[in-house]
Amino acid sequence: MQTSSFFAIISRMRYIERWALMRNSRPENLSEHALDVALIAHCLATLGNVRYGRHLDADRAALIGLYHDASEIITGDMPTPVKYANAEIRDAYHRVEDTAQKTLLSTLPDDLRPVYQKILSQQQPADADEAYLLKLIKAADKLSALIKCIDEAQAGNAEFATAEASTRTIVEDMARELPEVQDFLTEFLPPYGNTLDQLL
């Protein structure tokens, strides 16, 4: 039986540092970020089901969250100001991401590839529930970034002040459409940055 390098490659998420253009009080790697996004995405989907009568697959939200930036193992983390500087760069980077995803998928055994393609490739949602779930995962990604900014501010690092303000605006805009995001902002975000004694 032939070997597959897929999970050995995925394990390298821990070596991809985020926020490359920023001075960090504590570096954050892609593996940490992926876990945060998975946890938050699961929470948002659960809020949707419990409070808003939705029929979302919270476990799938967590799974997609874990893999949502897997292509960055190959591409590296492109800083947001660069990635979205203009339409030409944005579109080119999306093509690079697509190629990286295909490269990752090519390392899987043929029989497993279709399963992981459904996790890694989220361009055409199957139905309205899936489309809504993908919006929540995107919101979880932004919430994770906001939490990083809050953590840096708590550590006395003013470097993230502008990023915090712009990310908070994006998240608040999302919350107008996604009530689950507003619930997270109201109930779960405020304790971030507290000490363990305060949290307990």
Side-chain angles (χ1 to χ4, degrees):
M1 185 174 287
Q2 195 170 10
T3 63
S4 167
S5 60
F6 180 79
F7 287 104
I9 295 170
I10 292 295
S11 75
R12 299 183 69 83
M13 283 200 291
R14 72 189 79 162
Y15 303 129
I16 309 300
E17 288 198 8
R18 289 173 45 80
W19 306 95
L21 298 181
M22 312 283 277
R23 177 175 53 80
N24 290 256
S25 63
R26 190 189 76 78
E28 177 187 56
N29 65 50
L30 187 58
S31 187
E32 294 169 315
H33 171 66
L35 176 61
D36 284 347
V37 172
L39 293 169
I40 296 167
H42 187 275
C43 174
L44 294 177
T46 301
L47 286 166
N49 292 337
V50 172
R51 295 185 178 173
Y52 300 102
R54 304 195 202 286
H55 304 284
L56 305 171
D57 187 340
D59 294 344
R60 179 164 169 73
L63 188 59
I64 293 172
L66 281 174
Y67 285 94
H68 80 285
D69 277 341
S71 63
E72 290 183 8
I73 299 164
I74 296 170
T75 67
D77 178 38
M78 175 74 74
T80 298
V82 178
K83 190 188 299 187
Y84 299 108
N86 60 52
E88 187 177 356
I89 292 175
R90 183 198 62 220
D91 293 345
Y93 187 71
H94 286 321
R95 289 193 297 274
V96 170
E97 283 181 315
D98 289 343
T99 301
Q101 280 186 356
K102 288 173 185 169
T103 300
L104 276 175
L105 287 167
S106 73
T107 67
L108 281 162
D110 291 344
D111 57 341
L112 297 183
R113 196 170 299 142
V115 175
Y116 286 89
Q117 185 163 8
K118 290 177 185 175
I119 299 166
L120 289 169
S121 303
Q122 301 302 318
Q123 290 161 350
Q124 292 184 329
D127 54 34
D129 283 342
E130 179 82 356
Y132 196 84
L133 191 74
L134 295 178
K135 288 182 181 181
L136 291 181
I137 296 164
K138 184 69 175 172
D141 187 30
K142 293 298 181 184
L143 282 163
S144 174
L146 180 56
I147 290 163
K148 167 64 173 172
C149 294
I150 291 168
D151 287 345
E152 289 292 332
Q154 287 295 111
N157 184 5
E159 179 84 5
F160 281 73
T162 302
E164 180 177 352
S166 61
T167 306
R168 191 177 292 274
T169 298
I170 292 167
V171 170
E172 288 172 352
D173 286 346
M174 289 175 156
R176 291 187 186 93
E177 179 189 356
L178 308 168
E180 299 87 349
V181 176
Q182 185 58 58
D183 288 355
F184 192 94
L185 286 172
T186 303
E187 296 176 51
F188 297 110
L189 189 67
Y192 279 91
N194 289 348
T195 67
L196 182 59
D197 287 339
Q198 290 169 323
L199 292 172
L200 295 175

